[in-house]
Amino acid sequence: MKNSIIHLLLSVLVLLFAQGCEKQLLDKQPLSLISDAVVWDDPALTGAYLASLYSATPLAGIFMTNLGGNYDDLNVYGQLVAAGEGCCNLPWDKCVPAMGLLSHTNSSQMSWWGYSNIRNINIFLVNLKKGKNTEDLKIQYNAQARFLRAYEYFEGVKRYGGIPLILTPQSIDADSATLYVKRNTEQEVYDFIGKECDTISTILPATDEPGRVTKYAALALKSRAMLYAASIAKYGTIQLNGLLGIPASDANTYWQASLDASKAIINAGQFTLFNKYPNKSYNYQMIFLEKDNSEVILSKKFLNASYAQSLDDWENPNGNYTFWGCSFSPSVQIVDSYDMLDGSDGKIDWTNLKGYLRPVILKKDPRCEASIMYNGTPWIGARDTVALWRGTYTETGEKLVDEFTSYNGRDVVGLDETTFQRPSTGFLMKKFLDPTHVNPTGGSSYQDWLTFRYAEILLNYAEASFELNGAAADNLDAINQIRDRAGVAPLATLTMDKIRHERRIELAFEGYTYWDLRRWRTAFAELNTNMTAAFAYWHFDRTPNRYEYETFNAEDFDRVFKPEYYYFPLGEGLINNNPNLVENPGY
Amino acid sequence: MKKNLDYYGLSKPNSNWSKLFLTMKISGFLLFCCLVNIYAAPTYSQATKISLNLKDATIEEVLNKIEDVSEFYFLFNNKLIDVTRKVNIEANNEPIKDILNNIFDNDVKFAVYDRQIILTPSDLMLSYLSMQQKKISGTITDESGNLMPGVNILVEGTTTGAISDANGKYTINIPNENAVLIISFIGYTSQKAPVDGRTVIDIKLVPSLANLDEVVVVGYGTQKKVNVTGSVATVSGAELKSLPAKDISAALVGRLPGIISIDQGGVPGQKQAGMSIRGFENMLIVVDGVEYPFSWDQIEMSDVESISVLKDAAGSIYGARAGNGVLLITTKRGKTGEAPTYDFSATYGFESPIRRAKAVDAATYATMTNAVGLSSWTADQIAKFKSGTDPAYPNTDWYSEVYNKSAPLVHYNLNSSGGTEKLNYFYSLGYFKNDGLLKSGDLNFNRFNFRSNIQAKLGRGFTGSLDIAGRQEKLSAPGARDYQQGDLNDVLYNVNQDVDFAQPIFAAHNPDPTKLAFGGHLGSAPIGRASSYWAGYTDDDSKYLDASLNLKYDAPFLNGLSASARVSTNNEFSYIKQFSKEFYCYPYDVTTGLYGTPQLCQPTTSDRETMSRYSQMTTQVQVNYDKKVGAHSISAMILGEYIDNASNNLMGYRKNYISTTVQQLFAGGDLDKDATGSADQDGRIGYAGRVNYAYAGKYLAELTVRYDGSSRYAPSKRWGTFPSLSLGWRLSEEQFIKNISAINNLKLRASIGKAGDDADVPAYAYLTGYNYNSTVWGGGQVFGNTIYQGINSTGIANPNLVWRTSTNYNLGLDGGFWKNLLSFEFDVFYRKVEHVAGTRALSIPSTFGAGLPQEPINSFDNRGFELVLKHENNIGDLKYSVSGMLTYARGKWIHFDEPIYPDAETRARLGNSGQWMNRIMGYTAMGLFQSQAEIDKWADQDLQGNATIKPGDIKYLDYNHDGKIDAKDVHVIGKGTTPDMMFSFNLTLQYKGFDLDALFQGASDFNAYYHQNVFENGTVPFTFMADYWTPTNTGAKYPRLVDGEAENNKAISSFWLMDATYLRLKNLTIGYTIPKSLCSKMLIKSCRIYITGLDILTFDKVSPLDPESGASLMANGVAPYPKMKNIQGGIDLRF
């Protein structure tokens, strides 16, 4: 009897225990989840969502994604290397477009398929409306998010031509006709961007916290996008029933649209070319280092180690004790393309050049000194100048190229030459680098990336104006404003070539050139040329620091730009996934 | 069961209890684990009170009843004692003596020894004793000389018998000189000993080959091995004990059928090797009945009683986590009546690399760099590198500068066990130390562990046990990763990278020892990198504490009914400190005596400290019932289990240290400091039941069902049912086979069972919401001078996601022939895994924009077989066994959701459905191009008209005949890097005091590969790469040398694929047990000394890769920390 009672008690205990436990154990939830319900009623959380949308949008130009020291370097160098602005020194990176290897099965490099962010923006727009935030906040945030979406579509259309326009978040349960979208025409996408920018520019204020989209950022996007559309209409051809190309008859409409947008920015008078320092090359350097200066229309901002990029780590010479360093080398072609101070042709006669390079560079457009690092550039770090000589001629004329050995008390090879990321052209990029940043490491650089700056608007203006009206006082003035600020002699007359040249120099390494050459349809003519290197060697039997230069092919492959590269391949991943998408011709 | 015995010459059993308790106290004190009040208890017979109420029952029934309700058992001869007499008895909590006095009056004498009660007819006793004609005496020992009490000795053809005493001694009276003694004991082979005029006959018992009473641990209980119907493999602690492997997984390889293991690394204390059951994924680990959530590899081997592997439906009782099989580890406990023993074991040994690729010497390096235009050394200079006499031309073997040839391994364990009727215990204390090979001495692993398993009879049918085990592991390595939280392997990768990048043409040391020598490659200073003094350190300090309290109740009112409840907690506390130091190295010019510009080796001094804790609380309630009615025996079990997990971690980081004198967080700068943390939790509930049925020991059936719920899944999906059924037929018990004397065991098994696997399924996928982004990785945005925190959607919710389910089918046949001279186990299995989480590929196009949630849409299956063959025999004093094991398992995708590929060619390249899982895709290599003409007429390999292809490059098959080699030419070129087949051969010998155990283990049906350009990334070539193609060495094994990366040669192709089949002498142990006589002089019970080696011989074709390391070798030209072999000497002492 007693035992039965114990047994009964035990059974009851088990049952009680189980009942209590079940609720407690199985209702556990993850500790890091913010519920959907609160996000749209809370301005801080709604703002946090918007911040994520900004973050996912490739506002940082060549960086694409760029934080914390391990960004996608392929996108960085892809755009500069493919544009023939230089060569990549990272031994594991190959520039697929420059090598002519883009294909249906090899499409990923420089690709951008921003539909994940576009979906998140679309979700934001729908939910923002439903939430309980103030109407004013809703209006402002709505416009900012729509700008980001327009920007995403611009990144897409400039690569692939027409892409599907999706403006509402698709439901996963939607019918296949809705989900399996077809490509819109290239013109439809550009028209969408133009129209969106028009609307947004009437909503957003003229100024906001730096880093946020304003009225003028919207106009700047329109100025750029319409310029692209106009070029494609004028220089491109219509293919795939209009998925690619814009009727030539519409060219002037787009030139005018771009011109109007640029004019609106210029006339507002809110922005001026940065011109703070009398030293012209220093001044040009500081455009990219002085935050929120008078030239900045929109920037991707960085702040401190919690929000940093790795530019200084990747680009500094080794002498500055960077860990990676020397990732990208400007080519001789770009060094040569900077004019002399008086505006004459700046091509250097490398074969007959003896001695230091610095005096020669200082006679060129100051933007060259500001943008290019060469053997003898004064720089921070353990020494006062960059050491980039690749070898030594002995008394007997023998050429020594051995790393880490010395000859006659001096290193045979310059310090910055001695790395497995050897500068392949003899030059490094100086533009954007912070000269006060000693021993940079990954994720320790804070300079902002200028998404839109006033100089581009002047260049857009000049180009559109010239295309519409030919040489005129207004477009000459726009170009000369740029040249004047840069410290190079003004032009007396303007040609299309000169406008394009000025654009390439002023905006060098900022990720414009590749896309410009494509929209002008001049890439085929320009990008089948190999990159050249010019290396310094010092001579034993002359004064110790006398140099000679040797030029040769900088890369071990031949540069290829095929006509079909005016549009990138979508690639088999996207096509296999949606048979309604049509691959671009030639792939 | 009643033991009917003939007896004579029974001697006094051991009842030296007070001494036992004293020693227990001492051992308890020694082991710091005095957990239960130990008291001098009255003996069982005094303490036990019995209640009986029987009317008109035979004495036999009464005795049976007493045996049922108590632990007493009776020894008597039913020819001498009348047990058919009927009695009435009514006892209420009376001691046994009173009850027996009531039954027997004066005609029967009884003697109570502990639980054993011997009945003798009072009148016959003397007369039988006086019948003695001759007295034989002797000592009975086991195979290793231990004294054997309780052994039955019977004179053949008579009822005369005796039982050996606590010292193994017996005396017996024999009727005549021709008598033959039969000596038997459970678990040992019965022996016949003709008297042949002897008066002293000592007997050594040998364990029987097939132990019918062998018990194996199964899910939530134990079963007799003969009754097991599932596929269960077991290895006992005794077998493991003689094999001092570094960790448990190393000990299991080759010894358990169905275990597939790839042991990749030799890093001290490295967490468990890639081990799986039948090639499935993460198996469930259960230690002493409780799911073990931590690294189990470092559980002290000396504490392990047995390890069981549940491969098929046998695992279904573990429900939602058991889909990949279950590994059950059972630790030791004291046995009731076991005299206190102390075991001390010590091993000391050395481990050294099995192999490691060696870098070329300076002269070869100079020649090779000349060949690719990286340098222009003259023949004279190269000769100087070769001779090594000129200090300006060094020839440094960087590997030898950084690594020692061998490193010590030390292991000590002291344990004590014993038991009385009231209480039994097992205490253990262990220490293990495994130093790394680094010359700096800064790589080492230490483990300290203790365990206390105590079980006590609490009275009223209750038994309580408290198990506490703790473990402290400390792993230290030089260097730390500043910018990311690298683990020990990352840190060692850095060391190996510096070693493999450092050029042999640089001297290892500078004249000034405060200036580290430069290795010739940017920032490389191998000696600094391998030293905590220069590079900082990573210390990984983990503490584990497991405690389990179990209360068992044996119901006195219903024989066979018991209930138990258990509360367990498993805790891990880990603390990782990564202190990184900025340091430089200095190029030195021997001719000028000048130091060049210092090179930065590590840019930051920083401290990152991470503390994590994880705890699991398990509660189990279990009820068991066993019943035997005639030939039917039934046992049943029901169980409730509740598991509660929680974890969190905290990380702090600072850099900008102005000095390294104080290496603490607070001493770092305020700029760029960082702190973060995370937390997680989940809970699970399971209810399970099991019924075992056996008829006449012939027909066996087991039915289990488990009902599991998990908080990880949506409320509507979180409960699942996992049934299993297994059947066994012991053919050898059937009359028609029983007559075949050659067959002594034949059992057919079949099982089907369902189980789940939630390890690879995302938790809480049914909830959607937002997570905070880490701003460091770009989650927010800066506006003005403020970082705006970002939030990201966790994606589309999937309320349907749930564990994958696997259905296991297993068919097995066990056999034993010629008294187990030959035995085998054969299992064929098929497993179908469904509801495998995958992302729908076709249903949603990329423009949808959201990563679709994972859905349970994919499926695959596994099939294979296992065969174990064993031959055991004794020839005189030689006892030996030979066994072989073969496991073959393959997996195939049944359905893998993928797009509808436009054509068969694309499907072949990209599709998975219907394909074997273990395969490698790549090009087929056709050898090396020997001439430009050959290149010119071949397909376009670089898509640049072969402009970059030169003689000496790899030639690829144009698989799709389109004239160019591109992604479309990729096809299956071989099996993957997991072996489909594992095999082993084990030989054991025992002769007198000597023992030998040799285990050969191998694997086949898999590949190793590496693909690497010699000078890519600035690596220094390994010696085997020196056989490169040149116009004069056209038969070379490797392609031409290229400065940097030659994409053509680096592509994954059959060129680099190597058949990794291997056979390894995994273990060889030779031991010697010192004779008893010698031991007793030394006041010890037994002593064995041995020498053992692990992985000492390898036969394969992939050198200098290790066949077990497969593709992981030489990523980016860096060879990993080598896999080790070891040789150890050891001693086992028992007091």
Side-chain angles (χ1 to χ4, degrees), chain B residues 727-1008:
Chain B
L727 300 170
W729 180 20
R730 291 188 60 209
L731 293 153
S732 49
E733 296 299 303
E734 297 286 356
Q735 213 51 46
F736 60 91
I737 289 188
K738 245 182 175 164
N739 296 336
I740 309 170
S741 62
I743 300 175
N744 60 304
N745 180 32
L746 200 59
K747 181 164 77 173
L748 190 63
R749 295 177 276 110
S751 76
I752 173 171
K754 226 171 120 178
D757 172 18
D758 68 355
D760 300 304
V761 179
Y764 300 114
Y766 73 97
L767 294 170
T768 181
Y770 299 87
N771 279 332
Y772 286 108
N773 291 319
S774 156
T775 50
V776 176
W777 299 103
Q781 187 83 350
V782 175
F783 300 124
N785 285 316
T786 313
I787 302 171
Y788 281 69
Q789 171 84 55
I791 54 172
N792 259 14
S793 168
T794 54
I796 296 171
N798 182 357
N800 294 321
L801 201 61
V802 74
W803 47 69
R804 23 165 112 167
T805 49
S806 54
T807 313
N808 292 290
Y809 302 84
N810 196 91
L811 197 62
L813 186 65
D814 302 342
F817 304 97
W818 303 288
K819 296 185 175 158
N820 279 351
L821 274 178
L822 180 69
S823 62
F824 74 87
E825 285 170 39
F826 181 69
D827 280 284
V828 192
F829 67 87
Y830 176 79
R831 177 176 86 141
K832 188 173 178 186
V833 183
E834 291 162 296
H835 306 132
V836 177
T839 308
R840 259 180 218 287
L842 184 66
S843 11
I844 294 294
S846 61
T847 45
F848 181 71
L852 272 188
Q854 290 206 306
E855 295 173 73
I857 45 175
N858 292 334
S859 57
F860 61 87
D861 60 7
N862 303 86
R863 82 260 306 130
F865 65 89
E866 293 142 22
L867 177 64
V868 186
L869 277 174
K870 196 168 182 181
H871 166 61
E872 292 181 288
N873 202 5
N874 298 348
I875 304 173
D877 283 341
L878 177 71
K879 183 189 173 208
Y880 70 95
S881 74
V882 188
S883 61
M885 227 175 254
L886 177 68
T887 302
Y888 184 83
R890 284 188 94 178
K892 191 189 238 179
W893 286 109
I894 298 171
H895 176 78
F896 191 94
D897 200 79
E898 46 210 357
I900 297 168
Y901 294 113
D903 48 55
E905 176 271 322
T906 314
R907 189 181 320 113
R909 271 190 302 126
L910 304 175
N912 275 322
S913 293
Q915 303 291 330
W916 295 111
M917 296 167 101
N918 190 25
R919 58 189 180 133
I920 291 182
M921 309 286 290
Y923 300 130
T924 294
M926 312 282 289
L928 301 174
F929 283 116
Q930 297 294 351
S931 66
Q932 190 58 46
E934 191 183 350
I935 296 169
D936 292 343
K937 62 181 185 203
W938 195 248
D940 184 0
Q941 292 207 158
D942 61 354
L943 307 180
Q944 297 174 45
N946 283 346
T948 66
I949 309 294
K950 299 205 166 55
D953 281 335
I954 301 170
K955 178 178 177 179
Y956 296 117
L957 175 72
D958 183 8
Y959 190 73
N960 65 350
H961 310 289
D962 65 352
K964 58 185 182 185
I965 307 293
D966 60 9
K968 292 185 174 178
D969 294 296
V970 168
H971 56 279
V972 179
I973 51 170
K975 292 209 170 181
T977 54
T978 314
D980 284 345
M981 190 193 288
M982 302 279 284
F983 43 84
S984 60
F985 309 100
N986 192 201
L987 170 70
T988 65
L989 293 175
Q990 277 178 30
Y991 181 73
K992 304 221 161 146
F994 292 93
D995 60 84
L996 178 140
D997 183 304
L999 176 71
F1000 286 90
Q1001 182 264 330
S1004 188
D1005 268 13
F1006 73 121
N1007 284 300

Side-chain angles (χ1 to χ4, degrees), chain A residues 2-4 6-7 10 14 17-18 21-22 25-36 39-40 45 47-49 51-52 54-55 59 67-70 91-92 94 99-101 104-105 113 115-117 119-120 123 127 164 166 170-172 179-181 209-212 299-307 318 321-324 382-383 399 401-406 409 411 415 418-420 422 439 441 444 446 556-558 562 572 574 576-578 581, chain B residues 374-377 460 462 506 518 520-522 529 553 556-557 561 563 582 584 589 592 597-604 619 621 642-645 655 672 679-685 687 709-711 718-719 764 766-773 775-794 796 841-850 852-853 899-902 906 909-910 942-944 947-948 966-968 1017-1018 1045 1047:
Chain A
K2 199 158 108 194
N3 291 321
S4 306
I6 292 172
H7 182 62
L10 200 68
V14 169
F17 186 80
C21 250
E22 210 162 297
L25 280 173
L26 298 186
D27 287 350
K28 281 177 188 281
Q29 293 211 343
L31 297 166
S32 56
L33 204 66
I34 307 162
S35 119
D36 192 40
V39 170
W40 307 106
L45 290 173
Y49 191 110
S52 289
Y54 267 93
S55 173
L59 297 171
L67 297 168
N70 70 345
W92 56 84
K94 298 288 180 207
M99 295 174 81
L101 298 175
H104 184 56
T105 52
W113 198 246
Y115 284 95
S116 163
N117 196 33
R119 176 182 175 82
N120 286 338
I123 289 174
N127 285 313
I166 298 171
Q170 293 174 333
S171 160
I172 192 160
L179 291 174
Y180 289 81
V181 289
E209 289 172 294
R212 274 199 200 276
S299 61
K300 164 83 177 182
K301 293 184 65 60
F302 299 92
L303 189 63
N304 52 35
S306 301
Y307 207 94
N318 297 308
Y321 289 167
T322 168
F323 218 59
W324 287 104
R383 328 157 318 279
K399 190 164 78 177
V401 291
D402 310 320
E403 290 181 33
F404 309 120
T405 54
S406 59
D411 289 346
L415 174 70
T418 58
T419 159
F420 76 107
R422 292 173 81 123
N439 292 0
T441 53
S444 68
Y446 317 142
D556 58 4
F557 60 89
D558 285 330
K562 300 177 185 168
E572 65 175 345
L574 300 179
N576 286 347
N577 172 280
N578 177 0
L581 294 181
Chain B
L374 277 172
S375 64
S376 49
W377 300 102
R460 294 172 187 274
F462 283 97
F506 281 78
F518 170 60
H521 182 268
L522 175 72
R529 190 80 59 197
Y553 176 64
F557 53 85
L561 178 69
E582 178 182 349
Y584 295 85
D589 187 334
T592 59
T597 320
Q599 291 264 324
L600 180 71
C601 299
Q602 191 157 280
T604 320
T619 312
V621 183
Y642 317 91
I643 300 178
D644 190 357
N645 291 312
K655 61 187 210 180
D672 297 343
D680 204 1
Q681 61 177 9
D682 68 16
R684 279 174 299 128
I685 294 180
Y687 299 104
S710 167
S711 72
R718 64 173 48 138
W719 287 96
Y764 300 114
Y766 73 97
L767 294 170
T768 181
Y770 299 87
N771 279 332
Y772 286 108
N773 291 319
T775 50
V776 176
W777 299 103
Q781 187 83 350
V782 175
F783 300 124
N785 285 316
T786 313
I787 302 171
Y788 281 69
Q789 171 84 55
I791 54 172
N792 259 14
S793 168
T794 54
I796 296 171
L842 184 66
S843 11
I844 294 294
S846 61
T847 45
F848 181 71
L852 272 188
I900 297 168
Y901 294 113
T906 314
R909 271 190 302 126
L910 304 175
D942 61 354
L943 307 180
Q944 297 174 45
T948 66
D966 60 9
K968 292 185 174 178
N1017 303 345
E1045 182 173 316
E1047 248 166 38

Side-chain angles (χ1 to χ4, degrees), chain A residues 384-508:
Chain A
D384 53 357
T385 60
V386 174
L388 273 172
W389 62 92
R390 180 159 273 192
T392 302
Y393 289 107
T394 68
E395 299 127 298
T396 58
E398 190 196 350
K399 190 164 78 177
L400 300 179
V401 291
D402 310 320
E403 290 181 33
F404 309 120
T405 54
S406 59
Y407 184 75
N408 198 32
R410 190 157 183 247
D411 289 346
V412 161
V413 170
L415 174 70
D416 299 312
E417 264 295 305
T418 58
T419 159
F420 76 107
Q421 281 153 226
R422 292 173 81 123
S424 50
T425 63
F427 303 102
L428 294 169
M429 185 170 74
K430 184 173 166 190
K431 195 172 179 175
F432 316 125
L433 296 193
D434 179 358
T436 64
H437 193 176
V438 185
N439 292 0
T441 53
S444 68
S445 297
Y446 317 142
Q447 57 269 53
D448 297 341
W449 184 265
L450 308 189
T451 315
F452 293 103
R453 62 183 177 105
Y454 186 56
E456 183 205 341
I457 301 302
L458 289 176
L459 289 161
N460 291 353
Y461 178 89
E463 186 179 336
S465 159
F466 192 94
E467 289 280 9
L468 282 167
N469 312 316
D474 66 336
N475 47 50
L476 182 64
D477 176 60
I479 294 295
N480 280 339
Q481 278 187 50
I482 304 263
R483 289 178 74 88
D484 177 59
R485 188 271 299 272
V488 67
L491 296 175
T493 55
L494 212 49
T495 62
M496 183 50 73
D497 280 350
K498 283 180 175 169
I499 291 175
R500 290 178 178 177
H501 176 75
E502 196 59 37
R503 187 175 173 93
R504 290 177 70 175
I505 293 297
E506 174 66 21
L507 303 177

Side-chain angles (χ1 to χ4, degrees), chain A residues 61-77:
Chain A
I62 63 166
F63 288 117
M64 294 299 187
T65 55
N66 48 353
L67 297 168
N70 70 345
Y71 56 85
D72 182 359
D73 49 89
L74 292 172
N75 277 306
V76 177
Y77 304 108

Side-chain angles (χ1 to χ4, degrees), chain B residues 446-475:
Chain B
N446 277 289
R447 185 187 78 212
F448 168 84
N449 59 277
F450 68 87
R451 171 173 291 277
S452 162
N453 291 351
I454 290 182
Q455 198 164 328
K457 283 243 157 35
L458 306 173
R460 294 172 187 274
F462 283 97
T463 311
S465 65
L466 177 63
D467 303 346
I468 296 185
R471 197 162 92 228
Q472 179 174 321
E473 296 171 18
K474 187 167 181 184
L475 193 50

